């Protein structure tokens, strides 16, 4: 239904807008120039995580129904929930927002490239890219980030309210997702054990890899946690 998509985009915008509004603009600019952290995050997100997903699909010999969805998931940018979880976990939120900005823009080229490579290597066929949906998602995320940063700059006294708005919209998105999934012909909890193993493996391995790599490169723990959540 069209209205569910519209509502999800509105809630997504408000979630990112609210969380971004709590970030100091100076801190955001500083994190954008932290090339080491950005490169680790983007590298794990678009190089290692898709590779891990491909390995899991091949290892478990997943049918296309599951395999294609998993490949799309591991090839996509971290998105808005990463910012929300960073705020909840007291990680480096400014770095998370900066990484979301970079990875969202980079996904225009890297998501289709990963899909082309790994779907062809796995199933010997190409997959149609929903460019309109990707474009709308990118527009929503980027506009929400910069409008939130602007609001936080112009009205710093409203940051607590912006944080509350972001948290409420995050909860609303989760509730909405569960509600519509429960009415699906195949709800999330009605799958074989193989499905859950396949979904969990690349995420867990990707988190371990990104955190260990961050620590090994001397990145501080709050930033390492932000990178790990962004990749997850």
């Amino acid at each position: 239904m069209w209205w569910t998509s519209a509502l999800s985009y509105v809630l997504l915008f408000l979630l990112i807008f609210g969380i971004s509004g709590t970030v100091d603009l100076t801190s955001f600019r500083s994190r954008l120039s932290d090339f080491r952290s950005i490169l680790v995050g983007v590298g794990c997100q678009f190089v290692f995580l898709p590779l891990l997903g491909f390995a899991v699909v091949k290892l478990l010999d997943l049918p296309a129904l599951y395999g294609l969805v998993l490949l799309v998931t591991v090839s996509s940018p971290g998105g808005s929930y990463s910012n929300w979880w960073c705020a909840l976990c007291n990680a480096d939120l400014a770095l998370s927002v900066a990484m979301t900005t970079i990875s969202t823009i980079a996904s225009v080229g890297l998501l289709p490239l990963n899909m082309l490579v790994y779907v062809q290597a796995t199933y010997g066929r190409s997959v149609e890219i929903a460019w309109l949906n990707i474009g709308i998602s990118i527009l929503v995320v980027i506009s929400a980030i910069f409008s939130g940063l602007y609001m936080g700059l112009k009205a710093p006294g409203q940051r607590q309210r912006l944080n509350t708005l972001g948290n409420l919209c995050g909860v609303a998105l989760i509730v909405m997702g569960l509600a519509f999934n429960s009415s699906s012909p195949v709800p999330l909890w009605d799958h074989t054990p193989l499905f859950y193993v396949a979904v969990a493996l690349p995420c867990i391995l990707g988190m371990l890899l990104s955190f260990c790599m961050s620590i090994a490169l001397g990145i501080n723990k709050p930033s390492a946690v932000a990178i790990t959540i962004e990749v997850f």
Side-chain angles (χ1 to χ4, degrees):
M1 292 180 287
W2 68 268
W3 66 269
T4 59
S5 296
L7 179 58
S8 66
Y9 282 128
V10 170
L11 290 173
L12 175 63
F13 178 90
L14 292 175
L15 166 59
I16 303 172
F17 173 79
I19 297 300
S20 298
T22 67
V23 175
D24 180 69
L25 185 59
T26 302
S27 298
F28 175 76
R29 288 172 175 169
S30 173
R31 299 307 186 274
L32 278 178
S33 61
D34 183 0
F35 298 116
R36 178 177 53 177
S37 297
I38 295 293
L39 284 174
V40 170
V42 173
C44 289
Q45 182 71 65
F46 290 112
V47 178
F48 296 114
L49 191 60
L51 182 60
L52 289 170
F54 168 71
V56 167
V57 171
K58 294 294 286 185
L59 179 66
L60 299 181
D61 193 25
L62 293 180
L65 177 64
Y66 292 160
L68 289 174
V69 175
L70 181 59
L71 290 173
V72 170
T73 302
V74 298
S75 298
S76 300
S80 57
Y81 280 112
S82 60
N83 306 145
W84 189 43
W85 284 113
C86 280
L88 294 177
C89 296
N90 202 29
D92 191 335
L93 181 58
L95 177 61
S96 176
V97 174
M99 286 182 56
T100 297
T101 304
I102 298 298
S103 63
T104 300
I105 295 172
S107 69
V108 176
L110 294 179
L111 191 159
L113 177 62
N114 278 320
M115 291 301 297
L116 175 66
V117 171
Y118 291 118
V119 171
Q120 185 68 37
T122 307
Y123 300 109
R125 56 167 142 157
S126 60
V127 62
E128 185 177 345
I129 304 296
W131 290 107
L132 179 60
N133 292 339
I134 292 176
I136 293 174
S137 297
I138 290 173
L139 180 62
V140 168
V141 171
I142 297 300
S143 61
I145 287 174
F146 285 105
S147 58
L149 289 170
Y150 181 79
M151 178 62 74
L153 176 66
K154 293 299 182 180
Q158 300 299 318
R159 284 178 175 167
Q160 184 57 49
R161 291 182 178 178
L162 290 171
N163 182 60
T164 301
L165 172 66
N167 287 329
L168 290 175
C169 290
V171 173
L173 274 171
I174 292 176
V175 171
M176 180 180 170
L178 290 174
F180 283 103
N181 186 267
S182 63
S183 61
S184 168
V186 186
L188 182 62
W189 49 85
D190 192 22
H191 291 281
T192 64
L194 181 65
F195 171 84
Y196 302 107
V197 171
V199 170
L201 263 180
C203 295
I204 293 172
L205 294 175
M207 289 176 65
L208 289 173
L209 176 64
S210 57
F211 185 77
C212 291
M213 186 180 296
S214 299
I215 296 299
L217 291 173
I219 297 172
N220 62 63
K221 287 186 179 179
S223 296
V225 172
I227 293 170
T228 302
I229 292 174
E230 187 73 21
V231 171
F232 174 72

